[in-house]
Amino acid sequence: MARNEEKAQSMLNRFITMKAEEKKKPKERRPFLASECRDLSEADKWRQQIMREIGRKVAEIQNEGLGEHRLRDLNDEINKLIREKSHWERRIVELGGPNYTKHSAKMTDLDGNIVDVPNPSGRGPGYRYFGAAKKLPGVRELFDKPPELRKRRTRYDIYKRIDASYYGYRDEEDGVLEKLEGPAEEKMRREAFEEWKRLEEVRKEARKSVKSGEVATTSAARELLHEEEEDVVEEERRREREMREGMEDKEREFVVHVPLPDEKEIERMVLEKKKMELLNRYVSEGLLEEQSEAKDMLNIHR
């Protein structure tokens, strides 16, 4: 029995293989421009072909041992295929097919978080990085998020959040504060009233002892008398200080050392000024000189 290699080289097998190849259609090449395609099924077929090529290259770029240059070349080829795929997707939409761009994959960083695709030109899908290309020098920094700078609030932002609650005007609306402060307020009022009554009794006893000429026996009475005397002395000092300040203000009044003109003198000076303006406007210079010479001769100084 002949081996498989000998079977393949036999005349019959080679004839059958040649006939099968003749029956096959010539291999079609993908159009260079997507706009040249007029059939929706053909456009979808070329898109699927590009997707398979992208999948093979993405699987190949996962290998970190390929080297930096090979990884960059593979990444460039994948981005070129992605741009071509976007052209075919737009052509499919133009031919009435589904819109595949709505469900396009997002780019992720090394931690798997979705990041924005760098696209400085604003056209096309942008430049993406795949697999081991994300760890290349200069690429890793693109995925590192800069530290968030805490923006300092301005005075306007601070005051914008301040309302009546900030000043405590709405503390009693819920009723909780009133229940807690009610008993404490009553207690403080009662203690203050009792203290006031005690001081009034001591003050009355101290005044009675002063009127009768007796010396105050209790220390509280002596303290009250001393406080009243200090209040009287402080009031007298305040009055003296106010009187002294009033006298100093009067002394600091402005004194005029130059005689000031009265109203008649001011009116005369204004009238003279208006006369001179009219003469300068309607009289010639020669006439003014003759008039001034005549005044000098007659000794008139007005």
PDB file of all heavy atoms in Angstrom, residues 70 91 118 194 212 284:
ATOM      1  N   ARG A  70       8.399  45.941  17.472  1.00  0.00           N
ATOM      2  CA  ARG A  70       7.344  45.091  16.926  1.00  0.00           C
ATOM      3  C   ARG A  70       5.992  45.429  17.561  1.00  0.00           C
ATOM      4  O   ARG A  70       4.967  45.456  16.872  1.00  0.00           O
ATOM      5  CB  ARG A  70       7.688  43.613  17.173  1.00  0.00           C
ATOM      6  CG  ARG A  70       6.638  42.626  16.684  1.00  0.00           C
ATOM      7  CD  ARG A  70       6.347  42.805  15.218  1.00  0.00           C
ATOM      8  NE  ARG A  70       5.309  41.898  14.749  1.00  0.00           N
ATOM      9  CZ  ARG A  70       4.623  42.079  13.638  1.00  0.00           C
ATOM     10  NH1 ARG A  70       4.859  43.139  12.855  1.00  0.00           N
ATOM     11  NH2 ARG A  70       3.705  41.205  13.267  1.00  0.00           N
ATOM     12  N   ARG A  91     -20.137  53.429   5.682  1.00  0.00           N
ATOM     13  CA  ARG A  91     -20.689  53.044   4.388  1.00  0.00           C
ATOM     14  C   ARG A  91     -21.902  52.127   4.565  1.00  0.00           C
ATOM     15  O   ARG A  91     -22.891  52.227   3.800  1.00  0.00           O
ATOM     16  CB  ARG A  91     -19.615  52.331   3.550  1.00  0.00           C
ATOM     17  CG  ARG A  91     -20.056  51.962   2.140  1.00  0.00           C
ATOM     18  CD  ARG A  91     -20.501  53.171   1.378  1.00  0.00           C
ATOM     19  NE  ARG A  91     -20.951  52.834   0.018  1.00  0.00           N
ATOM     20  CZ  ARG A  91     -21.622  53.647  -0.774  1.00  0.00           C
ATOM     21  NH1 ARG A  91     -21.921  54.882  -0.356  1.00  0.00           N
ATOM     22  NH2 ARG A  91     -21.989  53.275  -1.971  1.00  0.00           N
ATOM     23  N   PRO A 118      -7.303  59.093  23.280  1.00  0.00           N
ATOM     24  CA  PRO A 118      -6.650  60.325  22.828  1.00  0.00           C
ATOM     25  C   PRO A 118      -6.982  60.606  21.370  1.00  0.00           C
ATOM     26  O   PRO A 118      -6.779  59.770  20.496  1.00  0.00           O
ATOM     27  CB  PRO A 118      -5.153  60.028  23.014  1.00  0.00           C
ATOM     28  CG  PRO A 118      -5.092  58.864  23.958  1.00  0.00           C
ATOM     29  CD  PRO A 118      -6.333  58.081  23.731  1.00  0.00           C
ATOM     30  N   GLU A 194     -34.197  84.334  92.066  1.00  0.00           N
ATOM     31  CA  GLU A 194     -33.840  84.183  93.486  1.00  0.00           C
ATOM     32  C   GLU A 194     -32.575  84.972  93.827  1.00  0.00           C
ATOM     33  O   GLU A 194     -32.493  85.607  94.887  1.00  0.00           O
ATOM     34  CB  GLU A 194     -33.638  82.699  93.796  1.00  0.00           C
ATOM     35  CG  GLU A 194     -34.928  81.885  93.740  1.00  0.00           C
ATOM     36  CD  GLU A 194     -34.679  80.406  93.943  1.00  0.00           C
ATOM     37  OE1 GLU A 194     -33.475  80.041  94.079  1.00  0.00           O
ATOM     38  OE2 GLU A 194     -35.639  79.623  93.965  1.00  0.00           O
ATOM     39  N   SER A 212     -29.107 104.898 109.124  1.00  0.00           N
ATOM     40  CA  SER A 212     -29.134 104.931 110.598  1.00  0.00           C
ATOM     41  C   SER A 212     -27.763 105.181 111.197  1.00  0.00           C
ATOM     42  O   SER A 212     -27.639 105.333 112.399  1.00  0.00           O
ATOM     43  CB  SER A 212     -29.700 103.607 111.113  1.00  0.00           C
ATOM     44  OG  SER A 212     -28.869 102.530 110.694  1.00  0.00           O
ATOM     45  N   SER A 284     -10.110 146.825  21.016  1.00  0.00           N
ATOM     46  CA  SER A 284      -8.795 146.506  20.480  1.00  0.00           C
ATOM     47  C   SER A 284      -7.710 146.742  21.512  1.00  0.00           C
ATOM     48  O   SER A 284      -7.912 147.443  22.520  1.00  0.00           O
ATOM     49  CB  SER A 284      -8.527 147.337  19.220  1.00  0.00           C
ATOM     50  OG  SER A 284      -8.522 148.721  19.560  1.00  0.00           O
TER      51      SER A 284
END
